[in-house]
Amino acid sequence: MARQNWGATWAGTGDAYRRLADLNINRKEYDGATEAWLCALTAFEVARRLVADDDPRRADVSAKVEDGLQRIGLCFGHEVESLQIACGDLGAFLAYYLPAGTPNSRTPAVICVSNEEETGVTLLGRLLPVLIGRGMSVLVLSHEHIANHARGGSQIVLSYCLDHLSARPDVDSSRIGIYGDGLSASLATDFAVYDRRIAAAVCDGGIWNWTRSRKSIDWMTSTDDGAERNMEWGRRSLLARLPKCPILVVAGGRGVVSVSEAIKLQSACMAERIEVDLVLPQLIRGGLCEEFDNFVSSDDRTFRWLEQKLAREPIAERVVG
């Protein structure tokens, strides 16, 4: 019950910021309206995580996020575009494109794929507060539109998305990255291996597929899961399937990679001179001994890393802690 009450409180906070944004728009105070809308989107995301899946308020909060994404464009001058991405025989699907807002220059871009429990518009609502001012465009997709294909289909669909971005006059085709949230982190790894045009990847480093393969082999051969020879085989197999671009693994929290697995991967990659960085979780302790992932901090560190790796000129190295 306490969790539901906190969800209602955060939803009410989002509503208050939304009213403030409308008031600032009426006054033509667009900077203040933008700030208020960004605060509203963050509050709605917190509320959405706190209420139960079957709670009607969850759908109501999601609808407010979608409305906010359309209206916030009035504040900072470039609106979210709804696009139909055609993928040949695989059909077409809806995506959301947020331009960087610098029409006279070609900027980096990131393909962002939501986790398995969320839609693309929900992910964009969560990310928008950390995207403003970074000078990069994003194309946001739903996990279900990418993952629900036969083997290899997800890579083909994502290649069409990459083709779309590469053809846009406001995007630098040599500086396109990919970010996969939740199980989509595995799709991001596979795609970065498949399509070498990707310049940076926020992914699972192949751990999800490697773990499933290792467990299947152990089960079929009745071997000890902790046997050193299996670990050595697995480590070599995993490293061989890594992307050739810089990668960032978001470990812990709601992701699919545990902190211990991520640290072992980074250690093995260092020995092979493979560039792998980590974002480790910052957990917030709530009531009843519950812990919540500080998604604001994690998203900020993730997109700082992407901003650095996709910069035209190398910028000062910053710790992704």
Side-chain angles (χ1 to χ4, degrees):
M1 182 60 70
R3 185 186 181 103
Q4 301 301 309
N5 290 339
W6 273 111
T9 298
W10 278 100
T13 301
D15 286 334
Y17 276 116
R18 187 172 64 160
R19 291 191 294 270
L20 177 60
D22 289 341
L23 180 62
N24 283 330
I25 289 176
N26 292 334
R27 294 172 174 171
K28 301 187 184 303
E29 297 176 359
Y30 297 116
D31 288 344
T34 298
E35 182 176 352
W37 263 120
L38 295 177
C39 290
L41 289 173
T42 298
F44 287 142
E45 175 63 19
V46 174
R48 195 185 63 80
R49 292 177 177 228
L50 289 171
V51 298
D53 291 343
D54 58 352
D55 192 319
R57 290 176 297 182
R58 189 179 180 91
D60 180 58
V61 168
S62 296
K64 290 175 180 177
V65 169
E66 187 164 3
D67 177 63
L69 289 176
Q70 299 304 322
R71 299 179 66 183
I72 197 172
L74 298 173
C75 305
F76 59 83
H78 46 287
E79 299 183 13
V80 175
E81 302 175 22
S82 297
L83 307 172
Q84 285 290 330
I85 304 292
C87 302
D89 294 339
L90 297 177
F93 63 90
L94 179 67
Y96 299 92
Y97 180 70
L98 178 69
T102 52
N104 297 323
S105 62
R106 294 164 64 85
T107 64
V110 181
I111 300 170
C112 302
V113 189
S114 75
N115 70 44
E116 63 281 7
E117 298 176 348
E118 298 174 353
T119 64
V121 71
T122 301
L123 176 62
L124 181 54
R126 191 191 92 203
L127 295 181
L128 192 58
V130 302
L131 289 172
I132 300 300
R134 293 207 184 273
M136 64 175 67
S137 302
V138 292
L139 182 70
V140 184
L141 322 167
S142 295
H143 174 87
E144 63 175 339
H145 294 147
I146 307 303
N148 294 341
H149 297 283
R151 184 174 179 84
S154 64
Q155 290 98 313
I156 296 173
V157 170
L158 288 169
S159 282
Y160 276 106
C161 296
L162 183 54
D163 291 342
H164 173 84
L165 285 176
S166 298
R168 294 187 68 104
D170 60 330
V171 171
D172 183 342
S173 62
S174 68
R175 296 189 290 155
I176 298 177
I178 186 166
Y179 162 67
D181 193 28
L183 280 179
S184 295
S186 175
L187 301 179
T189 301
D190 292 342
F191 181 59
V193 172
Y194 173 83
D195 197 319
R196 297 299 176 84
R197 292 177 293 172
I198 288 294
V202 180
C203 58
D204 76 331
I207 289 177
W208 176 256
N209 287 331
W210 171 57
T211 301
R212 288 195 303 172
S213 298
R214 193 183 68 189
K215 288 185 180 298
S216 296
I217 292 171
D218 289 342
W219 176 77
M220 289 186 293
T221 60
S222 299
T223 56
D224 179 10
D225 183 58
E228 184 63 26
R229 59 188 178 86
N230 282 344
M231 291 302 295
E232 287 303 321
W233 167 84
R235 202 172 285 123
R236 289 195 300 271
S237 175
L238 178 60
L239 295 178
R241 289 180 287 175
L242 281 177
K244 301 307 178 185
C245 64
I247 68 174
L248 175 71
V249 175
V250 181
R254 288 155 54 100
V256 297
V257 180
S258 71
V259 173
S260 61
E261 289 171 335
I263 291 174
K264 290 176 183 176
L265 173 66
Q266 187 182 48
S267 177
C269 287
M270 288 177 62
E272 299 291 332
R273 300 182 183 274
I274 298 173
E275 184 178 359
V276 175
D277 294 314
L278 304 181
V279 164
L280 303 181
Q282 289 188 353
L283 300 179
I284 301 173
R285 185 173 295 278
L288 302 177
C289 298
E290 290 185 290
E291 288 186 331
F292 301 95
D293 181 19
N294 185 346
F295 67 89
V296 176
S297 174
S298 178
D299 290 341
D300 179 67
R301 286 176 286 160
T302 297
F303 279 84
R304 261 192 290 144
W305 182 88
L306 281 165
E307 181 185 14
Q308 174 188 317
K309 298 303 178 183
L310 298 176
R312 186 182 302 277
E313 300 293 339
I315 58 180
E317 185 76 23
R318 287 172 289 190
V319 175
V320 182

mmCIF file of all heavy atoms in Angstrom, residues 227-270:
data_model
loop_
_atom_site.group_PDB
_atom_site.id
_atom_site.type_symbol
_atom_site.label_atom_id
_atom_site.label_comp_id
_atom_site.label_asym_id
_atom_site.label_seq_id
_atom_site.Cartn_x
_atom_site.Cartn_y
_atom_site.Cartn_z
ATOM 1 N N ALA A 227 33.091 -25.397 -13.738
ATOM 2 C CA ALA A 227 34.369 -25.993 -14.153
ATOM 3 C C ALA A 227 35.216 -24.967 -14.879
ATOM 4 O O ALA A 227 34.738 -24.227 -15.721
ATOM 5 C CB ALA A 227 34.113 -27.205 -15.056
ATOM 6 N N GLU A 228 36.495 -24.965 -14.581
ATOM 7 C CA GLU A 228 37.392 -23.963 -15.146
ATOM 8 C C GLU A 228 37.480 -24.075 -16.663
ATOM 9 O O GLU A 228 37.547 -23.075 -17.360
ATOM 10 C CB GLU A 228 38.786 -24.123 -14.525
ATOM 11 C CG GLU A 228 39.778 -23.051 -14.971
ATOM 12 C CD GLU A 228 39.377 -21.655 -14.543
ATOM 13 O OE1 GLU A 228 38.656 -21.528 -13.534
ATOM 14 O OE2 GLU A 228 39.763 -20.690 -15.235
ATOM 15 N N ARG A 229 37.458 -25.294 -17.189
ATOM 16 C CA ARG A 229 37.582 -25.431 -18.635
ATOM 17 C C ARG A 229 36.362 -24.841 -19.355
ATOM 18 O O ARG A 229 36.495 -24.275 -20.440
ATOM 19 C CB ARG A 229 37.750 -26.888 -19.026
ATOM 20 C CG ARG A 229 36.617 -27.806 -18.613
ATOM 21 C CD ARG A 229 36.977 -29.261 -18.879
ATOM 22 N NE ARG A 229 35.932 -30.180 -18.452
ATOM 23 C CZ ARG A 229 34.896 -30.517 -19.199
ATOM 24 N NH1 ARG A 229 34.769 -29.992 -20.412
ATOM 25 N NH2 ARG A 229 33.982 -31.364 -18.755
ATOM 26 N N ASN A 230 35.177 -24.965 -18.745
ATOM 27 C CA ASN A 230 33.996 -24.357 -19.345
ATOM 28 C C ASN A 230 34.089 -22.838 -19.301
ATOM 29 O O ASN A 230 33.692 -22.149 -20.238
ATOM 30 C CB ASN A 230 32.728 -24.813 -18.613
ATOM 31 C CG ASN A 230 32.313 -26.212 -19.012
ATOM 32 O OD1 ASN A 230 32.769 -26.729 -20.031
ATOM 33 N ND2 ASN A 230 31.466 -26.842 -18.215
ATOM 34 N N MET A 231 34.605 -22.315 -18.212
ATOM 35 C CA MET A 231 34.740 -20.869 -18.090
ATOM 36 C C MET A 231 35.729 -20.340 -19.098
ATOM 37 O O MET A 231 35.514 -19.287 -19.712
ATOM 38 C CB MET A 231 35.179 -20.512 -16.664
ATOM 39 C CG MET A 231 34.111 -20.760 -15.602
ATOM 40 S SD MET A 231 32.589 -19.851 -15.933
ATOM 41 C CE MET A 231 33.196 -18.170 -15.750
ATOM 42 N N GLU A 232 36.836 -21.053 -19.316
ATOM 43 C CA GLU A 232 37.821 -20.598 -20.289
ATOM 44 C C GLU A 232 37.257 -20.648 -21.703
ATOM 45 O O GLU A 232 37.449 -19.735 -22.499
ATOM 46 C CB GLU A 232 39.083 -21.462 -20.190
ATOM 47 C CG GLU A 232 39.912 -21.196 -18.951
ATOM 48 C CD GLU A 232 40.331 -19.743 -18.844
ATOM 49 O OE1 GLU A 232 40.663 -19.139 -19.881
ATOM 50 O OE2 GLU A 232 40.301 -19.200 -17.730
ATOM 51 N N TRP A 233 36.524 -21.725 -22.022
ATOM 52 C CA TRP A 233 35.885 -21.799 -23.331
ATOM 53 C C TRP A 233 34.883 -20.665 -23.506
ATOM 54 O O TRP A 233 34.834 -20.000 -24.540
ATOM 55 C CB TRP A 233 35.154 -23.145 -23.482
ATOM 56 C CG TRP A 233 34.238 -23.149 -24.670
ATOM 57 C CD1 TRP A 233 34.565 -23.416 -25.951
ATOM 58 C CD2 TRP A 233 32.847 -22.832 -24.669
ATOM 59 N NE1 TRP A 233 33.460 -23.287 -26.758
ATOM 60 C CE2 TRP A 233 32.391 -22.924 -25.992
ATOM 61 C CE3 TRP A 233 31.935 -22.455 -23.668
ATOM 62 C CZ2 TRP A 233 31.070 -22.680 -26.352
ATOM 63 C CZ3 TRP A 233 30.622 -22.213 -24.019
ATOM 64 C CH2 TRP A 233 30.196 -22.323 -25.343
ATOM 65 N N GLY A 234 34.083 -20.448 -22.466
ATOM 66 C CA GLY A 234 33.063 -19.411 -22.550
ATOM 67 C C GLY A 234 33.661 -18.035 -22.725
ATOM 68 O O GLY A 234 33.152 -17.207 -23.484
ATOM 69 N N ARG A 235 34.765 -17.765 -22.033
ATOM 70 C CA ARG A 235 35.402 -16.458 -22.115
ATOM 71 C C ARG A 235 35.918 -16.200 -23.530
ATOM 72 O O ARG A 235 35.725 -15.131 -24.095
ATOM 73 C CB ARG A 235 36.536 -16.390 -21.086
ATOM 74 C CG ARG A 235 36.936 -14.984 -20.691
ATOM 75 C CD ARG A 235 37.910 -15.008 -19.531
ATOM 76 N NE ARG A 235 37.255 -15.311 -18.270
ATOM 77 C CZ ARG A 235 37.583 -16.316 -17.478
ATOM 78 N NH1 ARG A 235 38.545 -17.138 -17.830
ATOM 79 N NH2 ARG A 235 36.963 -16.517 -16.331
ATOM 80 N N ARG A 236 36.566 -17.193 -24.121
ATOM 81 C CA ARG A 236 37.073 -17.024 -25.491
ATOM 82 C C ARG A 236 35.929 -16.858 -26.491
ATOM 83 O O ARG A 236 35.991 -16.037 -27.399
ATOM 84 C CB ARG A 236 37.937 -18.230 -25.874
ATOM 85 C CG ARG A 236 39.266 -18.301 -25.153
ATOM 86 C CD ARG A 236 40.195 -19.298 -25.848
ATOM 87 N NE ARG A 236 39.617 -20.640 -25.876
ATOM 88 C CZ ARG A 236 39.793 -21.535 -24.909
ATOM 89 N NH1 ARG A 236 40.536 -21.230 -23.845
ATOM 90 N NH2 ARG A 236 39.263 -22.741 -24.997
ATOM 91 N N SER A 237 34.874 -17.665 -26.299
ATOM 92 C CA SER A 237 33.732 -17.591 -27.198
ATOM 93 C C SER A 237 33.053 -16.234 -27.104
ATOM 94 O O SER A 237 32.654 -15.646 -28.118
ATOM 95 C CB SER A 237 32.734 -18.703 -26.856
ATOM 96 O OG SER A 237 31.561 -18.584 -27.625
ATOM 97 N N LEU A 238 32.925 -15.718 -25.899
ATOM 98 C CA LEU A 238 32.279 -14.426 -25.689
ATOM 99 C C LEU A 238 33.071 -13.301 -26.333
ATOM 100 O O LEU A 238 32.525 -12.455 -27.036
ATOM 101 C CB LEU A 238 32.123 -14.172 -24.185
ATOM 102 C CG LEU A 238 31.497 -12.844 -23.752
ATOM 103 C CD1 LEU A 238 30.088 -12.707 -24.313
ATOM 104 C CD2 LEU A 238 31.456 -12.748 -22.243
ATOM 105 N N LEU A 239 34.376 -13.273 -26.116
ATOM 106 C CA LEU A 239 35.207 -12.204 -26.652
ATOM 107 C C LEU A 239 35.213 -12.215 -28.182
ATOM 108 O O LEU A 239 35.278 -11.163 -28.815
ATOM 109 C CB LEU A 239 36.634 -12.329 -26.118
ATOM 110 C CG LEU A 239 36.809 -12.125 -24.608
ATOM 111 C CD1 LEU A 239 38.263 -12.332 -24.213
ATOM 112 C CD2 LEU A 239 36.338 -10.750 -24.187
ATOM 113 N N ALA A 240 35.126 -13.405 -28.769
ATOM 114 C CA ALA A 240 35.146 -13.498 -30.229
ATOM 115 C C ALA A 240 33.907 -12.888 -30.847
ATOM 116 O O ALA A 240 33.916 -12.502 -32.020
ATOM 117 C CB ALA A 240 35.272 -14.961 -30.654
ATOM 118 N N ARG A 241 32.813 -12.791 -30.058
ATOM 119 C CA ARG A 241 31.558 -12.277 -30.603
ATOM 120 C C ARG A 241 31.273 -10.846 -30.178
ATOM 121 O O ARG A 241 30.142 -10.371 -30.302
ATOM 122 C CB ARG A 241 30.410 -13.190 -30.155
ATOM 123 C CG ARG A 241 30.434 -14.556 -30.846
ATOM 124 C CD ARG A 241 29.290 -15.426 -30.383
ATOM 125 N NE ARG A 241 29.513 -15.917 -29.023
ATOM 126 C CZ ARG A 241 28.601 -16.635 -28.351
ATOM 127 N NH1 ARG A 241 27.441 -16.907 -28.896
ATOM 128 N NH2 ARG A 241 28.874 -17.064 -27.132
ATOM 129 N N LEU A 242 32.268 -10.134 -29.709
ATOM 130 C CA LEU A 242 32.072 -8.744 -29.308
ATOM 131 C C LEU A 242 32.117 -7.811 -30.512
ATOM 132 O O LEU A 242 32.815 -8.081 -31.490
ATOM 133 C CB LEU A 242 33.159 -8.320 -28.315
ATOM 134 C CG LEU A 242 32.974 -8.780 -26.868
ATOM 135 C CD1 LEU A 242 34.167 -8.355 -26.034
ATOM 136 C CD2 LEU A 242 31.695 -8.211 -26.275
ATOM 137 N N PRO A 243 31.399 -6.681 -30.447
ATOM 138 C CA PRO A 243 31.500 -5.669 -31.509
ATOM 139 C C PRO A 243 32.916 -5.102 -31.571
ATOM 140 O O PRO A 243 33.677 -5.160 -30.604
ATOM 141 C CB PRO A 243 30.498 -4.596 -31.063
ATOM 142 C CG PRO A 243 29.595 -5.271 -30.084
ATOM 143 C CD PRO A 243 30.420 -6.313 -29.414
ATOM 144 N N LYS A 244 33.264 -4.534 -32.714
ATOM 145 C CA LYS A 244 34.582 -3.921 -32.891
ATOM 146 C C LYS A 244 34.587 -2.441 -32.501
ATOM 147 O O LYS A 244 35.638 -1.806 -32.505
ATOM 148 C CB LYS A 244 35.040 -4.081 -34.343
ATOM 149 C CG LYS A 244 35.139 -5.535 -34.794
ATOM 150 C CD LYS A 244 35.994 -6.375 -33.848
ATOM 151 C CE LYS A 244 36.041 -7.832 -34.284
ATOM 152 N NZ LYS A 244 36.761 -8.681 -33.318
ATOM 153 N N CYS A 245 33.420 -1.896 -32.174
ATOM 154 C CA CYS A 245 33.332 -0.500 -31.734
ATOM 155 C C CYS A 245 33.421 -0.443 -30.211
ATOM 156 O O CYS A 245 33.309 -1.475 -29.532
ATOM 157 C CB CYS A 245 32.020 0.111 -32.213
ATOM 158 S SG CYS A 245 30.549 -0.676 -31.490
ATOM 159 N N PRO A 246 33.636 0.743 -29.616
ATOM 160 C CA PRO A 246 33.588 0.873 -28.163
ATOM 161 C C PRO A 246 32.218 0.437 -27.634
ATOM 162 O O PRO A 246 31.189 0.729 -28.246
ATOM 163 C CB PRO A 246 33.823 2.371 -27.924
ATOM 164 C CG PRO A 246 34.500 2.857 -29.155
ATOM 165 C CD PRO A 246 33.965 2.036 -30.281
ATOM 166 N N ILE A 247 32.200 -0.270 -26.500
ATOM 167 C CA ILE A 247 30.921 -0.684 -25.936
ATOM 168 C C ILE A 247 30.847 -0.298 -24.462
ATOM 169 O O ILE A 247 31.854 -0.183 -23.769
ATOM 170 C CB ILE A 247 30.667 -2.197 -26.103
ATOM 171 C CG1 ILE A 247 31.621 -3.033 -25.247
ATOM 172 C CG2 ILE A 247 30.760 -2.608 -27.561
ATOM 173 C CD1 ILE A 247 31.283 -4.530 -25.280
ATOM 174 N N LEU A 248 29.623 -0.071 -24.024
ATOM 175 C CA LEU A 248 29.327 0.240 -22.624
ATOM 176 C C LEU A 248 28.294 -0.760 -22.140
ATOM 177 O O LEU A 248 27.259 -0.955 -22.780
ATOM 178 C CB LEU A 248 28.779 1.663 -22.489
ATOM 179 C CG LEU A 248 28.321 2.077 -21.085
ATOM 180 C CD1 LEU A 248 29.525 2.257 -20.162
ATOM 181 C CD2 LEU A 248 27.506 3.371 -21.127
ATOM 182 N N VAL A 249 28.574 -1.403 -21.018
ATOM 183 C CA VAL A 249 27.644 -2.357 -20.418
ATOM 184 C C VAL A 249 27.037 -1.726 -19.177
ATOM 185 O O VAL A 249 27.756 -1.295 -18.275
ATOM 186 C CB VAL A 249 28.360 -3.675 -20.061
ATOM 187 C CG1 VAL A 249 27.409 -4.623 -19.327
ATOM 188 C CG2 VAL A 249 28.910 -4.340 -21.318
ATOM 189 N N VAL A 250 25.697 -1.632 -19.161
ATOM 190 C CA VAL A 250 24.980 -1.124 -17.990
ATOM 191 C C VAL A 250 24.628 -2.329 -17.120
ATOM 192 O O VAL A 250 23.830 -3.175 -17.518
ATOM 193 C CB VAL A 250 23.709 -0.361 -18.398
ATOM 194 C CG1 VAL A 250 22.992 0.169 -17.160
ATOM 195 C CG2 VAL A 250 24.058 0.791 -19.339
ATOM 196 N N ALA A 251 25.242 -2.419 -15.950
ATOM 197 C CA ALA A 251 25.113 -3.613 -15.110
ATOM 198 C C ALA A 251 24.237 -3.338 -13.900
ATOM 199 O O ALA A 251 24.147 -2.221 -13.406
ATOM 200 C CB ALA A 251 26.499 -4.076 -14.655
ATOM 201 N N GLY A 252 23.583 -4.402 -13.414
ATOM 202 C CA GLY A 252 22.781 -4.296 -12.214
ATOM 203 C C GLY A 252 21.461 -3.598 -12.465
ATOM 204 O O GLY A 252 21.058 -3.366 -13.604
ATOM 205 N N GLY A 253 20.769 -3.257 -11.388
ATOM 206 C CA GLY A 253 19.486 -2.581 -11.513
ATOM 207 C C GLY A 253 18.489 -3.437 -12.269
ATOM 208 O O GLY A 253 18.356 -4.640 -12.045
ATOM 209 N N ARG A 254 17.786 -2.834 -13.232
ATOM 210 C CA ARG A 254 16.769 -3.540 -14.009
ATOM 211 C C ARG A 254 17.344 -4.179 -15.263
ATOM 212 O O ARG A 254 16.602 -4.730 -16.079
ATOM 213 C CB ARG A 254 15.677 -2.535 -14.412
ATOM 214 C CG ARG A 254 14.788 -2.098 -13.259
ATOM 215 C CD ARG A 254 14.168 -0.727 -13.516
ATOM 216 N NE ARG A 254 13.455 -0.658 -14.785
ATOM 217 C CZ ARG A 254 12.121 -0.759 -14.914
ATOM 218 N NH1 ARG A 254 11.386 -0.980 -13.840
ATOM 219 N NH2 ARG A 254 11.545 -0.634 -16.080
ATOM 220 N N GLY A 255 18.652 -4.112 -15.454
ATOM 221 C CA GLY A 255 19.264 -4.666 -16.650
ATOM 222 C C GLY A 255 19.398 -6.176 -16.585
ATOM 223 O O GLY A 255 19.066 -6.821 -15.590
ATOM 224 N N VAL A 256 19.914 -6.764 -17.674
ATOM 225 C CA VAL A 256 20.035 -8.225 -17.760
ATOM 226 C C VAL A 256 21.429 -8.704 -17.368
ATOM 227 O O VAL A 256 21.668 -9.905 -17.326
ATOM 228 C CB VAL A 256 19.701 -8.710 -19.194
ATOM 229 C CG1 VAL A 256 18.263 -8.397 -19.538
ATOM 230 C CG2 VAL A 256 20.655 -8.107 -20.224
ATOM 231 N N VAL A 257 22.343 -7.800 -17.096
ATOM 232 C CA VAL A 257 23.728 -8.168 -16.772
ATOM 233 C C VAL A 257 23.991 -7.881 -15.299
ATOM 234 O O VAL A 257 23.774 -6.766 -14.831
ATOM 235 C CB VAL A 257 24.730 -7.385 -17.645
ATOM 236 C CG1 VAL A 257 26.154 -7.768 -17.291
ATOM 237 C CG2 VAL A 257 24.454 -7.627 -19.128
ATOM 238 N N SER A 258 24.454 -8.880 -14.561
ATOM 239 C CA SER A 258 24.787 -8.658 -13.162
ATOM 240 C C SER A 258 26.107 -7.911 -13.051
ATOM 241 O O SER A 258 26.920 -7.909 -13.978
ATOM 242 C CB SER A 258 24.887 -9.993 -12.417
ATOM 243 O OG SER A 258 26.052 -10.699 -12.817
ATOM 244 N N VAL A 259 26.305 -7.282 -11.908
ATOM 245 C CA VAL A 259 27.543 -6.534 -11.693
ATOM 246 C C VAL A 259 28.755 -7.463 -11.763
ATOM 247 O O VAL A 259 29.769 -7.134 -12.388
ATOM 248 C CB VAL A 259 27.498 -5.805 -10.334
ATOM 249 C CG1 VAL A 259 28.852 -5.168 -10.026
ATOM 250 C CG2 VAL A 259 26.404 -4.737 -10.339
ATOM 251 N N SER A 260 28.660 -8.649 -11.157
ATOM 252 C CA SER A 260 29.800 -9.563 -11.160
ATOM 253 C C SER A 260 30.148 -10.026 -12.573
ATOM 254 O O SER A 260 31.328 -10.110 -12.937
ATOM 255 C CB SER A 260 29.504 -10.775 -10.267
ATOM 256 O OG SER A 260 28.379 -11.490 -10.739
ATOM 257 N N GLU A 261 29.129 -10.321 -13.391
ATOM 258 C CA GLU A 261 29.385 -10.743 -14.769
ATOM 259 C C GLU A 261 30.044 -9.622 -15.565
ATOM 260 O O GLU A 261 30.958 -9.847 -16.352
ATOM 261 C CB GLU A 261 28.078 -11.149 -15.445
ATOM 262 C CG GLU A 261 27.497 -12.456 -14.943
ATOM 263 C CD GLU A 261 26.108 -12.697 -15.493
ATOM 264 O OE1 GLU A 261 25.430 -11.710 -15.833
ATOM 265 O OE2 GLU A 261 25.690 -13.862 -15.571
ATOM 266 N N ALA A 262 29.563 -8.393 -15.357
ATOM 267 C CA ALA A 262 30.105 -7.256 -16.100
ATOM 268 C C ALA A 262 31.568 -7.009 -15.742
ATOM 269 O O ALA A 262 32.400 -6.722 -16.613
ATOM 270 C CB ALA A 262 29.266 -6.012 -15.827
ATOM 271 N N ILE A 263 31.901 -7.121 -14.466
ATOM 272 C CA ILE A 263 33.282 -6.892 -14.036
ATOM 273 C C ILE A 263 34.208 -7.971 -14.605
ATOM 274 O O ILE A 263 35.325 -7.683 -15.047
ATOM 275 C CB ILE A 263 33.351 -6.841 -12.499
ATOM 276 C CG1 ILE A 263 32.646 -5.573 -11.989
ATOM 277 C CG2 ILE A 263 34.790 -6.876 -12.018
ATOM 278 C CD1 ILE A 263 32.539 -5.488 -10.478
ATOM 279 N N LYS A 264 33.746 -9.229 -14.617
ATOM 280 C CA LYS A 264 34.549 -10.302 -15.209
ATOM 281 C C LYS A 264 34.766 -10.069 -16.701
ATOM 282 O O LYS A 264 35.858 -10.294 -17.230
ATOM 283 C CB LYS A 264 33.859 -11.646 -14.980
ATOM 284 C CG LYS A 264 33.872 -12.113 -13.531
ATOM 285 C CD LYS A 264 33.072 -13.401 -13.377
ATOM 286 C CE LYS A 264 33.011 -13.830 -11.922
ATOM 287 N NZ LYS A 264 32.158 -15.039 -11.744
ATOM 288 N N LEU A 265 33.713 -9.614 -17.388
ATOM 289 C CA LEU A 265 33.834 -9.322 -18.817
ATOM 290 C C LEU A 265 34.857 -8.218 -19.058
ATOM 291 O O LEU A 265 35.724 -8.338 -19.928
ATOM 292 C CB LEU A 265 32.479 -8.898 -19.390
ATOM 293 C CG LEU A 265 32.503 -8.393 -20.836
ATOM 294 C CD1 LEU A 265 32.881 -9.517 -21.791
ATOM 295 C CD2 LEU A 265 31.171 -7.783 -21.232
ATOM 296 N N GLN A 266 34.767 -7.139 -18.276
ATOM 297 C CA GLN A 266 35.704 -6.031 -18.464
ATOM 298 C C GLN A 266 37.137 -6.469 -18.204
ATOM 299 O O GLN A 266 38.055 -6.085 -18.934
ATOM 300 C CB GLN A 266 35.340 -4.868 -17.546
ATOM 301 C CG GLN A 266 36.175 -3.614 -17.817
ATOM 302 C CD GLN A 266 35.831 -2.489 -16.869
ATOM 303 O OE1 GLN A 266 35.746 -2.680 -15.665
ATOM 304 N NE2 GLN A 266 35.630 -1.297 -17.420
ATOM 305 N N SER A 267 37.345 -7.305 -17.192
ATOM 306 C CA SER A 267 38.688 -7.798 -16.886
ATOM 307 C C SER A 267 39.240 -8.632 -18.038
ATOM 308 O O SER A 267 40.405 -8.464 -18.439
ATOM 309 C CB SER A 267 38.653 -8.631 -15.604
ATOM 310 O OG SER A 267 39.917 -9.180 -15.329
ATOM 311 N N ALA A 268 38.398 -9.525 -18.592
ATOM 312 C CA ALA A 268 38.841 -10.347 -19.713
ATOM 313 C C ALA A 268 39.133 -9.483 -20.942
ATOM 314 O O ALA A 268 40.094 -9.732 -21.675
ATOM 315 C CB ALA A 268 37.774 -11.387 -20.042
ATOM 316 N N CYS A 269 38.324 -8.457 -21.160
ATOM 317 C CA CYS A 269 38.526 -7.588 -22.323
ATOM 318 C C CYS A 269 39.790 -6.750 -22.189
ATOM 319 O O CYS A 269 40.474 -6.489 -23.185
ATOM 320 C CB CYS A 269 37.306 -6.683 -22.511
ATOM 321 S SG CYS A 269 35.850 -7.549 -23.131
ATOM 322 N N MET A 270 40.101 -6.318 -20.982
ATOM 323 C CA MET A 270 41.323 -5.549 -20.776
ATOM 324 C C MET A 270 42.542 -6.365 -21.188
ATOM 325 O O MET A 270 43.483 -5.846 -21.799
ATOM 326 C CB MET A 270 41.433 -5.113 -19.314
ATOM 327 C CG MET A 270 40.469 -4.017 -18.907
ATOM 328 S SD MET A 270 40.583 -3.596 -17.142
ATOM 329 C CE MET A 270 42.264 -3.012 -17.032
#
